[in-house]
């Protein structure tokens, strides 16, 4: 679900190293790169696409997304579904139709980011890789950039924060090796992480907080904000897949059994 450095490929950007890149409409390659790529969509990508397109989460899923299973981890992976011509369904004559809400992978290029959980509550560890795509003329542009400027300019911080939070689920301590999810569990993953409008209906049921051990206040906060709702969905899903946290009040304590990968 979250790709590793090995899966992403490319040369590692060393600490403090800059790079030269610019993407602009006047380049001969403009718009050509929004094709032939099976872009991964993370939960926060879906949240933003839904917002940018002004559609329900179910409409975005039905209209633009395909589902597969990662053969290594067993996690459901969502990707942008290409058109019959192999183009991204969201590219128009003048560029990306959802530019302000485009997915993290589109924002991050010409870099890619791999992340792993930090030790003992520390922030996630991250690595950026240079991804020189064939035919991309942006690399010939003279504009010098630092990683920090690129992350800021591309509005990547909320995407990275949401994806780092997701690491707590996909690399859960109770996970042992490859997952073999039942169809009900796969449905729960899609519901809680991607189909937020439907998950909101579940979270709004009167006994949701009591049934699943959440505070009424945190559920109310989630119902008022898509970002908080996604966080609640992740917490709910974590309980569905791996059981309650060891410190959950009123529940049987389970000891974490070591990190599976
Ligand atoms: S190929 Fe590179 S420079 Fe050209 S439009 Fe795509 S990202 Fe921009
Ligand atoms: S979402 Fe936008 S930027 Fe990303 S591949 Fe599609 S058209 Fe290009």
């Amino acid at each position: 679900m979250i790709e590793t450095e090995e899966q992403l490929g490319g040369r590692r950007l060393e600490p403090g190293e800059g790079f030269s890149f610019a993407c602009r409409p006047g380049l001969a390659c403009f718009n050509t790169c929004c094709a032939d790529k099976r872009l991964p969509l993370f939960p926060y990508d879906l949240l933003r696409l839904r917002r940018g397109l002004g559609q329900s989460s179910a409409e975005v899923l039905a209209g633009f997304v395909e589902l597969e299973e990662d053969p290594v981890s067993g996690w459901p992976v969502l990707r942008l579904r290409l058109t019959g011509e192999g183009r991204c369904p969201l590219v128009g004559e003048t560029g990306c139709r959802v530019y302000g809400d485009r997915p993290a992978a589109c924002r991050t290029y010409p870099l890619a980011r791999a992340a792993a959980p930090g030790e003992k509550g520390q922030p996630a560890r991250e690595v950026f890789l240079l991804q020189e795509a064939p035919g991309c003329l942006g690399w010939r542009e003279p504009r010098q950039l630092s990683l920090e400027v690129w992350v800021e300019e591309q509005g990547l911080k909320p995407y990275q924060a949401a994806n780092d939070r997701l690491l707590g689920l996909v690399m859960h301590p109770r996970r042992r090796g490859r997952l073999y999810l039942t169809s009900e569990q796969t449905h729960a993953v899609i519901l809680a992480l991607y189909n937020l409008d439907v998950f909101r209906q579940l979270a709004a049921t009167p006994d949701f907080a009591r049934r699943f051990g959440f505070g009424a206040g945190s559920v109310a906060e989630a119902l008022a904000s898509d970002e908080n709702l996604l966080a609640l969905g992740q917490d709910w899903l974590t309980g569905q897949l791996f059981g309650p946290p060891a410190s959950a009040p009123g529940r049987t304590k389970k000891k974490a059994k070591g990190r599976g990968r």
Side-chain angles (χ1 to χ4, degrees):
M1 188 173 189
I2 289 184
E3 291 156 304
T4 64
E5 184 176 352
E6 292 71 31
Q7 287 170 314
L8 288 168
R11 182 176 74 74
R12 191 187 276 217
L13 189 72
E14 298 300 333
E17 182 184 354
F19 58 100
S20 172
F21 186 81
C23 176
R24 55 183 175 80
L27 294 174
C29 59
F30 189 65
N31 260 1
T32 59
C33 57
C34 296
D36 299 327
K37 292 184 190 68
R38 304 190 61 246
L39 285 178
L41 292 174
F42 296 108
Y44 188 73
D45 291 327
L46 240 291
L47 182 157
R48 292 289 295 265
L49 282 180
R50 166 177 162 274
R51 188 174 287 163
L53 289 163
Q55 297 182 357
S56 71
S57 51
E59 287 171 328
V60 177
L61 287 168
F64 303 104
V65 175
E66 62 186 15
L67 171 68
E68 64 182 43
E69 183 183 274
D70 180 70
V72 177
S73 66
W75 276 106
V77 177
L78 273 64
R79 298 188 187 278
L80 266 178
R81 189 173 63 229
L82 299 179
T83 66
E85 296 79 43
R87 310 267 297 156
C88 172
L90 299 170
V91 69
E93 286 299 310
T94 55
C96 179
R97 293 196 286 122
V98 286
Y99 188 78
D101 293 289
R102 66 199 185 284
C106 309
R107 291 170 186 268
T108 310
Y109 181 83
L111 308 176
R113 178 179 187 259
E119 293 295 325
K120 295 179 183 163
Q122 293 298 306
R125 293 173 287 126
E126 61 180 11
V127 170
F128 286 86
L129 301 143
L130 296 158
Q131 306 263 295
E132 197 162 340
C136 175
L137 301 175
W139 290 98
R140 299 189 194 167
E141 295 287 296
R143 187 171 181 237
Q144 283 294 320
L145 290 156
S146 67
L147 173 63
E148 292 72 24
V149 166
W150 189 248
V151 166
E152 191 66 41
E153 269 188 5
Q154 298 300 310
L156 274 163
K157 286 186 177 168
Y159 290 81
Q160 293 174 352
N163 291 346
D164 289 351
R165 190 177 194 281
L166 195 62
L167 289 168
L169 171 65
V170 298
M171 296 186 181
H172 193 277
R174 289 189 200 133
R175 178 183 148 193
R176 290 265 178 189
R178 189 194 191 285
L179 286 171
Y180 292 91
L181 299 180
T182 64
S183 57
E184 287 79 12
Q185 288 172 323
T186 301
H187 178 77
V189 173
I190 305 302
L191 170 71
L193 301 182
Y194 296 98
N195 205 346
L196 279 189
D197 295 316
V198 178
F199 181 69
R200 176 177 279 108
Q201 292 170 16
L202 173 65
T205 51
D207 60 345
F208 178 86
R210 184 193 54 75
R211 267 176 74 200
F212 298 109
F214 294 106
S218 66
V219 174
E221 277 177 22
L223 293 173
S225 144
D226 289 342
E227 281 76 358
N228 289 345
L229 186 64
L230 178 56
L232 179 71
Q234 180 177 325
D235 292 345
W236 174 82
L237 181 63
T238 302
Q240 297 300 300
L241 297 183
F242 300 112
S247 58
R251 299 193 180 191
T252 308
K253 285 194 174 182
K254 286 187 182 174
K255 194 176 177 194
K257 293 176 182 167
R259 181 167 293 146
R261 268 292 288 162

